[in-house]
Amino acid sequence: MLGSVLTIWALALAASANGQITPPNALNLRITQNMTHTISPTLYLHFLSTPVKLLSIVGRYGYMWEDINHSGDGGLYAELLQNRALQGVIPNTGAALQGWQSINGAFLTVTAGTSGVSSALPNSLQVSIPKTAKGPIRFANTGYWGINVQAGWTYTGSLYVKSPGYCGSVTVALQSASGTIYDSVTLSNVKDTYQKLTFILSPTNSAPDHNNLFTVTVDGAAAAGQTLYFGMFSLFPPTFRGRENGLRMDLAQALFDTSPKLWRFPGGNNLEGQTWEQRWKWNETIGPLENRPGRVGDWGYPNTDGLGLMEYLDWIEDLEAVPILGVWAGVSIGNYSDLPDWPIVPQDQLQPYIDDVINEIHFITDPENTSEWAALRAEYGHPAPYNLTYIEVGNEDQFAPDSYQAYRWQMFVDGINASFPHLSLQFLATSPPSLPLDPPYLKIDFHQYSTPGWFINNSYMFDTYPRNGTQWFMGEYAVTGTETGCELGSPSCGRLLYPTLEGACAEAAFMTGMERNSDVVFASAYAPSLQNVNSYQWTPDIITFSARSVAKSVSYYNQQLFATNLGTHVLATIPEPSPSTAPLYWVASHHATNQLVFLKVVNTGSADLVGNLFFDFPVIGGFGTAQQLSAGLYPTPGVYNISNTLETPDVITPVASSFGIVDSSEFNYTFPQSSITVMTFAVDF
Ligand code: AHR
């Protein structure tokens, strides 16, 4: 049997030797029981008698996260009210009123001219009631471009209010833009100093759409000529797993369903700030919301920091993932056209920032009851230490390599290591891979936003990566455009608005290469993750959403297929993918515990291609299953720039099937043009 198989695949290779596989040629593919590459010492699974190449200690696939496109505020963070505490805005400007609007003649302004809710939140919403007011005077928060009102949901709210001359009541409500009240509560006894009033809203009817408001109403006759001040509003719907100050259920569930095993945060550019002072500061993102000043984010809108360090770490625990904690490494982001002017902290001023990271790591990892940091963490609700192994020093320091090489990398790594010798922390560098560092890096984060062609052509790049103890982290990647040289340009030169089938197939081809070489590819993170369709800075993104709806892209489904069908080690195939087997790309893996073999095959071409599959082992049960992304019945054959959007969210979704295998060692399968197929086989080893 083996001899005839060898002959057949030799013929197949000959048929495709001068280029790619084209019909009627078929790919003859033998899946062996053998591991592929030399085992990286750190990934060696010692308790097995046969050495196996692990896919990764931490799991393979995950996300890079930062607040961009209102992915956090107005996205994953479930808070419904936009600009709830008037953070990061300039008082007495129109822009400071983002999210707020007057109804019936109240005059609104943002002021710092009265004492705020807290020293961290100095701004107040000043509401002046006209002297001639009669009847209800109202103002509203528009939410993050709408509010999702659902019957049966409990909305938990609070606000701070004071007035020097009015001691009546205010009424809060969820209502439609056209005035339908879904629920309301009256809060009495406004006083002359700030007090926090809490309330619950429980609509019994769902709104037909998300065009809804949160309103505050004052009796005009009673309050005529008076001024009321408000601060730190909040309104939460039910959250993912019911966590207080938690995450929006549908978005969290969508991310959860892709089984991410790593979460790189808090950026990305949004770690860095446009100035040193505006950097992401971990200690200003913890504890009571009243203590969090928020900041001017890097993506053009204020961040509340309600989604702070502990909320991220709790979420990572819910995911059963590992954090890759990005730490600010002494560079803020200036103008990309003027890189030499980026503000870099000089060597003799860097130590306080390293001390700050050391405090952060104490806060995250100190065992219970052992330090003031552990006590603070317990006070804020998490007595046990969080898991932390991976520290990423900076972000994209290829833009500031000289100081990174000269002192920043070394001072952070040595300084942190000296404080935590017991933690065996691992550090990721963000400088160019070819730049020597002292101490040498063991893990390097590399980012690639590019064309389908780049990802397809580079799907073999890790086959020749040196097995020298270093590992690659694909810490941001996505197909972003169709034209070389314009990958991050405008839609007019090919920039994608949404992930496309063509792009997802290219990403998948590349991912087969990462998975096949998982001894040297530490992990990967698609980026960016979420896009609020009403306000965004970056396309494409893996999930697009509005206040009420979610569209999962074809890249989302690709990530999900890859991450949820993952073996414990890679199986060698004959042949391995190479330019002569294009446009088919594949990886096979074996799950030793579940006794499953996964075969992921990507066809990036424009013709259906047949695979003659041969197994070196019996397939149990006489059948296999497949999940597939393809153009399917899309009405225009050969068009692959098709996307899922909020309007048409289900153009491309995975299609499941099963197929019989008469001869356990051989069967044929057709891989459609532009498709991603994940096959699963039960085995007895
Ligand atoms: O993912 C968007 C941005 O791309 C990230 O913030 C940055 O790291 C990269 O340049």
Side-chain angles (χ1 to χ4, degrees):
M1 180 66 202
L2 192 58
S4 64
V5 169
L6 280 168
T7 312
I8 292 167
W9 81 66
L11 284 174
L13 279 178
S16 62
N18 60 350
Q20 306 199 331
I21 301 176
T22 51
N25 293 324
L27 170 73
N28 287 352
L29 183 63
R30 176 180 156 207
I31 293 108
T32 78
Q33 290 192 47
N34 305 325
M35 68 172 207
T36 50
H37 300 277
T38 312
I39 305 158
S40 160
T42 55
L43 298 180
Y44 192 94
L45 202 52
H46 293 280
F47 60 84
L48 292 180
S49 53
T50 310
V52 295
K53 183 179 122 180
L54 290 180
L55 286 165
S56 169
I57 279 177
V58 298
R60 304 285 315 135
Y61 302 107
Y63 296 108
M64 176 280 198
W65 176 267
E66 65 180 332
D67 207 320
I68 180 174
N69 304 323
H70 282 281
S71 56
D73 288 329
L76 186 60
Y77 184 46
E79 173 63 71
L80 292 170
L81 304 185
Q82 184 171 183
N83 196 14
R84 67 179 179 188
L86 314 151
Q87 296 157 280
V89 299
I90 301 170
N92 303 308
T93 61
L97 283 168
Q98 173 74 21
W100 296 100
Q101 60 181 229
S102 167
I103 306 174
N104 301 2
F107 180 76
L108 306 184
T109 190
V110 173
T111 180
T114 181
S115 55
V117 162
S118 65
S119 58
L121 301 176
N123 294 337
S124 299
L125 182 66
Q126 179 178 313
V127 182
S128 306
I129 312 294
K131 286 190 177 131
T132 54
K134 295 192 187 78
I137 299 293
R138 193 167 285 147
F139 66 94
N141 188 284
T142 57
Y144 286 97
W145 302 279
I147 294 178
N148 187 9
V149 176
Q150 292 293 328
W153 281 14
T154 298
Y155 295 77
T156 308
S158 62
L159 56 78
Y160 284 78
V161 60
K162 68 178 179 181
S163 173
Y166 174 71
C167 56
S169 60
V170 297
T171 297
V172 296
L174 276 173
Q175 66 166 81
S176 72
S178 58
T180 304
I181 305 284
Y182 293 105
D183 196 16
S184 67
V185 174
T186 296
L187 310 166
S188 54
N189 285 330
V190 174
K191 298 197 164 81
D192 60 358
T193 55
Y194 265 133
Q195 56 178 331
K196 182 178 185 178
L197 305 179
T198 60
F199 53 90
I200 299 285
L201 294 169
S202 307
T204 49
N205 293 315
S206 296
D209 55 38
H210 64 245
N211 195 10
N212 305 306
L213 304 168
F214 169 76
T215 56
V216 180
T217 305
V218 183
D219 176 355
Q226 301 296 332
T227 300
L228 289 82
Y229 297 97
F230 293 85
M232 189 58 218
F233 296 80
S234 182
L235 188 67
F236 270 85
T239 60
F240 183 73
R241 299 206 171 164
R243 283 192 185 276
E244 197 179 332
N245 195 41
L247 306 184
R248 178 171 148 172
M249 288 190 297
D250 53 357
L251 291 173
Q253 189 66 51
L255 291 169
F256 184 89
D257 288 345
T258 62
S259 196
K261 288 290 170 259
L262 67 100
W263 190 262
R264 175 180 164 233
F265 77 105
N269 291 4
N270 205 38
L271 167 69
E272 296 176 89
Q274 286 162 23
T275 65
W276 304 347
E277 190 46 35
Q278 288 174 345
R279 71 191 186 279
W280 188 87
K281 297 178 190 157
W282 72 274
N283 55 318
E284 294 186 356
T285 74
I286 57 173
L289 298 179
E290 290 84 348
N291 293 355
R292 306 187 195 186
R295 58 183 279 268
V296 177
D298 282 82
W299 291 105
Y301 57 90
N303 292 180
T304 67
D305 285 336
L307 187 53
L309 178 63
M310 289 184 73
E311 286 77 20
Y312 286 125
L313 292 169
D314 289 342
W315 162 239
I316 292 164
E317 286 190 341
D318 285 347
L319 291 172
E320 298 180 15
V322 296
I324 296 180
L325 180 68
V327 299
W328 192 79
V331 180
S332 288
I333 297 188
N335 188 335
Y336 273 93
S337 61
D338 194 10
L339 290 176
D341 279 352
W342 279 20
I344 299 172
V345 179
Q347 186 168 2
D348 61 358
Q349 295 173 37
L350 196 60
Q351 192 57 43
Y353 300 101
I354 297 163
D355 294 341
D356 190 47
V357 172
I358 290 169
N359 290 340
E360 180 180 12
I361 298 172
H362 276 300
F363 177 80
I364 294 171
T365 64
D366 278 0
E368 216 169 326
N369 297 323
T370 59
S371 72
E372 60 178 311
W373 295 115
L376 189 63
R377 191 185 62 230
E379 182 188 331
Y380 292 164
H382 201 286
Y386 290 102
N387 163 40
L388 182 67
T389 300
Y390 302 105
I391 308 287
E392 180 155 333
V393 180
N395 175 58
E396 296 195 335
D397 280 281
Q398 74 269 17
F399 292 124
D402 295 350
S403 58
Y404 199 80
Q405 184 184 41
Y407 61 91
R408 291 190 294 115
W409 162 260
Q410 184 174 54
M411 285 179 71
F412 274 92
V413 172
D414 288 353
I416 294 169
N417 261 335
S419 293
F420 301 98
H422 55 291
L423 285 185
S424 301
L425 293 171
Q426 297 187 37
F427 295 86
L428 291 89
T430 67
S431 43
S434 58
L435 189 74
L437 296 176
D438 180 18
Y441 72 78
L442 295 178
K443 290 184 168 52
I444 189 89
D445 178 3
F446 184 83
H447 300 168
Q448 190 72 35
Y449 296 107
S450 200
T451 59
W454 188 94
F455 283 97
I456 291 169
N457 294 335
N458 284 282
S459 68
Y460 318 108
M461 67 183 267
F462 301 110
D463 295 350
T464 51
Y465 186 90
R467 268 58 185 175
N468 61 7
T470 66
Q471 290 186 315
W472 193 272
F473 174 40
M474 203 75 200
E476 295 181 26
Y477 72 101
V479 169
T480 50
T482 54
E483 305 304 316
T484 302
C486 209
E487 297 86 348
L488 295 177
S490 64
S492 62
C493 69
R495 180 76 176 265
L496 300 185
L497 292 176
Y498 302 97
T500 59
L501 178 62
E502 179 189 29
C505 287
E507 289 159 6
F510 188 75
M511 289 161 74
T512 63
M514 291 200 287
E515 192 169 312
R516 219 173 42 245
N517 292 285
S518 44
D519 54 336
V520 289
V521 181
F522 158 69
S524 66
Y526 185 97
S529 47
L530 307 186
Q531 174 198 34
N532 188 316
V533 75
N534 293 290
S535 179
Y536 55 87
Q537 297 77 43
W538 186 287
T539 65
D541 306 279
I542 202 161
I543 295 173
T544 297
F545 63 91
S546 66
R548 187 179 170 113
S549 310
V550 171
K552 300 168 178 171
S553 70
V554 59
S555 288
Y556 168 93
Y557 289 118
N558 176 45
Q559 292 287 327
Q560 185 178 39
L561 286 182
F562 268 69
T564 57
N565 296 283
L566 199 52
T568 48
H569 61 282
V570 174
L571 295 177
T573 64
I574 302 174
E576 294 290 0
S578 71
S580 64
T581 58
L584 293 178
Y585 303 83
W586 63 87
V587 59
S589 66
H590 171 232
H591 198 293
T593 316
N594 297 344
Q595 296 194 299
L596 294 172
V597 163
F598 301 105
L599 178 63
K600 296 166 177 162
V601 182
V602 184
N603 181 355
T604 63
S606 53
D608 297 356
L609 290 169
V610 172
N612 301 319
L613 305 181
F614 306 89
F615 295 96
D616 277 6
F617 43 83
V619 173
I620 307 299
F623 74 100
T625 61
Q627 298 171 77
Q628 191 169 77
L629 291 166
S630 75
L633 301 176
Y634 189 73
T636 317
V639 174
Y640 309 124
N641 59 351
I642 38 180
S643 302
N644 296 337
T645 66
L646 282 174
E647 292 72 34
T648 54
D650 298 323
V651 175
I652 303 169
T653 57
V655 174
S657 62
S658 60
F659 45 87
I661 301 174
V662 179
D663 177 349
S664 186
S665 63
E666 176 184 351
F667 76 102
N668 300 336
Y669 192 93
T670 300
F671 299 103
Q673 52 181 303
S674 242
S675 67
I676 301 161
T677 306
V678 177
M679 305 166 117
T680 307
F681 307 97
V683 295
D684 62 0
F685 67 102

